[in-house]
Amino acid sequence: MKRALIIGITGQDGAYLAQLLLDKDYEVFGGYRRSANTNYESLRYLNIFERVQMLPLELLEISNIIRVLEHCEPDEVYNLGAQSFVGISFEQPLLTSDVTALGTLRVLEAIRTVNPKIRFYQASSSEMFGMATEVPQRETTRFYPRSPYAVSKVFAHHSTVNYRESYGIFACCGILFNHESPLRGPEFVTRKITRAVASIRAGKSRFLYLGNLEAQRDWGYAPEYVEMMWKMLQQKTAEDYVIATGEAYTVRDFADAAFGAVGLDWRKHVRVDRTFKRPAEVARLLGDASKARRKLKWRARTKFRDLVKLMVEADLARV
Ligand code: NDP
Ligand code: GDP
């Protein structure tokens, strides 16, 4: 039985990855950030909370990370832990860098110290492409980060590659484009929209306030993306991969489809609020996942409209 440690188990991807690994008969350890009121909602939503061994793991504390590795002796470590919201990273740049950039380096150092044979997955992000220098973006596209979050992810990405090249650690970066689901954090624009649609449909509110409606993202379905995290660590050689659908839509398209799914006209309910605009915006992201298609035999299956629909339905059920 293989053993895996998922850092950031309480997040969207942590829950789906835990489910996938449990289905593959892994013993799953979940590293969570301790708080007075830790939220295990995602694991409970998938009905797997009882099957994961939960361990407090703080990315700011290297000795804690080392002790967790010594305790669970994992074959694989997935670092999904991050301050992952771009918007707040402008308000909390130092915390974001400490957790998202240095946190990754702490995990790499801990692996190097405890057992360099552990296979390591790093959650890199399409945000690293930022003001994209080519369209679509692939593994070789130059990074041009536009937020403290993205700058931190670039640091973490290069650190991971550096530990692979310096110490032979089997370390892979998945450069994942935006991926969504009913478990997506409510601050992110997709989930913010689908929750609002459900609430407006139920007559509990009337308006939704958004920032830049013209931004374009390549949105995929999270459960399909976590499968690639696992697959990267099963290859013969450690490499980095872009994971994306290859189709981009605007925030406006998303709102249109989500309100449309319940027979509402988005124009009657969406208001623009400048406070949701960012100091530096990433206007358009579009990924080229042909390397993953070739080597990992992967292709995104869930299409944009189906994704919007399943998220709206899940939020309607919750309301
Ligand atoms: P989430 O924000 O849902 O999850 C992040 C996880 O990190 C949470 O479990 C969070 O815990 C944990 N965490 C935050 N700070 C710390 C800390 N100091 N110590 C330990 N754990 C901490 O992100 P997703 O699941 O959506 O994404 C997973 C990873 O993939 C993230 O690194 C994200 O940046 C990256 N990514 C995500 C993309 C997406 O579209 N979803 C795209 C590309 C990359 P808590 O619940 O307590 O906050
Ligand atoms: P990101 O790609 O990681 O920044 O994911 P988000 O879901 O947070 O944002 C996607 C895009 O939607 C960005 O270009 C945002 O500027 C844009 N956007 C427009 N309005 C909003 C909003 O109200 N909230 C969020 N989170 N993003 C918004």
Side-chain angles (χ1 to χ4, degrees):
M1 192 190 242
K2 275 201 195 169
R3 298 153 79 91
L5 169 66
I6 301 174
I7 302 173
I9 188 87
T10 54
Q12 168 188 259
D13 291 6
Y16 284 118
L17 180 63
Q19 185 178 48
L20 178 97
L21 297 180
L22 287 167
D23 285 348
K24 292 186 184 298
D25 283 335
Y26 275 62
E27 188 173 0
V28 177
F29 296 86
Y32 70 95
R33 173 170 62 144
R34 188 252 153 220
S35 83
N37 205 354
T38 305
N39 184 356
Y40 303 122
E41 201 42 52
S42 300
L43 294 168
R44 293 197 203 283
Y45 188 87
L46 298 181
N47 214 6
I48 55 172
F49 178 65
E50 311 298 338
R51 298 171 61 201
V52 175
Q53 299 182 51
M54 301 293 281
L55 299 166
L57 186 152
E58 174 52 66
L59 280 167
L60 300 177
E61 188 88 45
I62 189 166
S63 54
N64 180 203
I65 303 170
I66 288 175
R67 279 192 296 272
V68 169
L69 290 183
E70 286 172 343
H71 171 77
C72 59
E73 297 181 350
D75 301 290
E76 297 168 6
V77 170
Y78 296 85
N79 179 29
L80 313 182
Q83 189 304 95
S84 70
F85 185 45
V86 170
I88 202 70
S89 79
F90 289 100
E91 293 303 317
Q92 300 180 351
L94 295 173
L95 174 84
T96 301
S97 310
D98 211 346
V99 174
T100 308
L102 288 177
T104 305
L105 188 54
R106 289 185 192 99
V107 178
L108 287 163
E109 265 299 279
I111 288 176
R112 181 185 165 206
T113 307
V114 174
N115 177 10
K117 292 208 161 42
I118 292 172
R119 293 193 168 202
F120 176 72
Y121 174 85
Q122 168 57 17
S124 287
S125 164
S126 56
E127 287 291 319
M128 302 189 305
F129 297 123
M131 180 113 72
T133 53
E134 65 175 334
V135 183
Q137 295 88 49
R138 48 182 70 93
E139 291 79 6
T140 49
T141 304
R142 191 163 70 83
F143 298 144
Y144 191 149
R146 294 271 284 172
S147 63
Y149 166 77
V151 170
S152 302
K153 283 289 185 186
V154 170
F155 176 93
H157 181 95
H158 285 311
S159 299
T160 303
V161 173
N162 181 244
Y163 272 57
R164 179 167 76 214
E165 294 175 354
S166 303
Y167 309 115
I169 293 174
F170 193 106
C172 301
C173 300
I175 308 175
L176 272 50
F177 281 62
N178 295 49
H179 45 281
E180 320 293 315
S181 75
L183 297 183
R184 182 62 142 151
E187 286 168 308
F188 295 89
V189 76
T190 54
R191 186 76 200 292
K192 183 172 167 183
I193 293 171
T194 60
R195 283 179 97 210
V197 164
S199 158
I200 292 169
R201 176 79 271 180
K204 294 189 170 185
S205 56
R206 283 183 63 200
F207 298 111
L208 164 65
Y209 297 89
L210 295 175
N212 177 13
L213 300 179
E214 307 311 326
Q216 292 185 37
R217 290 292 182 276
D218 178 330
W219 281 297
Y221 184 40
E224 294 171 14
Y225 284 48
V226 299
E227 200 183 327
M228 287 309 101
M229 300 174 177
W230 171 77
K231 207 143 196 203
M232 283 175 213
L233 294 197
Q234 314 312 311
Q235 302 304 301
K236 279 213 174 69
T237 51
E239 291 180 44
D240 309 319
Y241 296 86
V242 160
I243 302 294
T245 70
E247 288 180 18
Y249 293 87
T250 61
V251 171
R252 182 194 303 271
D253 293 331
F254 198 103
D256 185 14
F259 280 91
V262 296
L264 294 173
D265 181 351
W266 72 275
R267 281 165 298 204
K268 294 195 177 133
H269 298 281
V270 172
R271 300 271 187 277
V272 171
D273 180 341
R274 294 184 58 79
T275 56
F276 292 113
K277 295 200 172 163
R278 294 167 179 179
E281 176 63 297
V282 171
R284 180 169 188 237
L285 291 174
L286 177 67
D288 173 0
S290 44
K291 180 179 174 187
R293 198 151 53 240
R294 214 173 47 251
K295 294 198 163 186
L296 305 179
K297 312 283 177 245
W298 181 82
R299 181 187 290 275
R301 297 185 295 277
T302 305
K303 294 284 171 197
F304 175 74
R305 282 188 189 279
D306 297 328
L307 173 65
V308 176
K309 198 159 162 275
L310 75 84
M311 289 179 69
V312 169
E313 278 168 5
D315 277 322
L316 284 172
R318 282 163 160 145
V319 163

